């Protein structure tokens, strides 16, 4: 919970996609992923996928469905 309130977390949310990472379990997507929010959980999906996921504000499950 400490990480969630840090400036580093905010940076990760706004920049990690540039390096191919996504915030894997977002609070707004719990009903889709079936997993509670985990601020520390970032996953590498590649730059192309992470950019789409970030720009469309979707989760990995929604990306895979497309």
């Amino acid at each position: 919970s400490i990480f969630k309130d840090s400036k580093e977390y905010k940076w990760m949310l706004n920049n990690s996609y540039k390096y191919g990472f996504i915030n894997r379990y977002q609070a707004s997507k719990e009903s889709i992923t079936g997993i509670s929010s985990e601020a520390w959980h970032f996953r590498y999906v590649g730059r192309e996928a992470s950019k789409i996921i970030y720009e469309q504000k979707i989760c990995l499950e929604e990306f895979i469905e497309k």
Side-chain angles (χ1 to χ4, degrees):
S1 63
I2 294 171
F3 180 59
K4 188 171 123 181
D5 297 324
S6 70
K7 65 182 179 182
E8 290 83 5
Y9 176 65
K10 289 174 181 52
W11 186 92
M12 289 287 291
L13 288 177
N14 294 315
N15 294 286
S16 63
Y17 78 93
K18 298 172 186 174
Y19 304 94
F21 290 88
I22 61 167
N23 182 338
R24 181 63 181 97
Y25 299 112
Q26 305 166 37
S28 63
K29 302 294 184 173
E30 288 178 359
S31 64
I32 297 169
T33 63
I35 305 291
S36 296
S37 176
E38 296 180 343
W40 54 268
H41 197 140
F42 283 79
R43 176 160 316 253
Y44 183 79
V45 295
R47 287 185 178 178
E48 184 177 332
S50 65
K51 183 178 180 194
I52 292 167
I53 290 168
Y54 177 81
E55 289 176 349
Q56 295 183 11
K57 298 182 182 355
I58 59 176
C59 64
L60 185 58
E61 286 78 3
E62 293 170 306
F63 175 76
I64 291 170
E65 283 182 11
K66 291 183 176 194

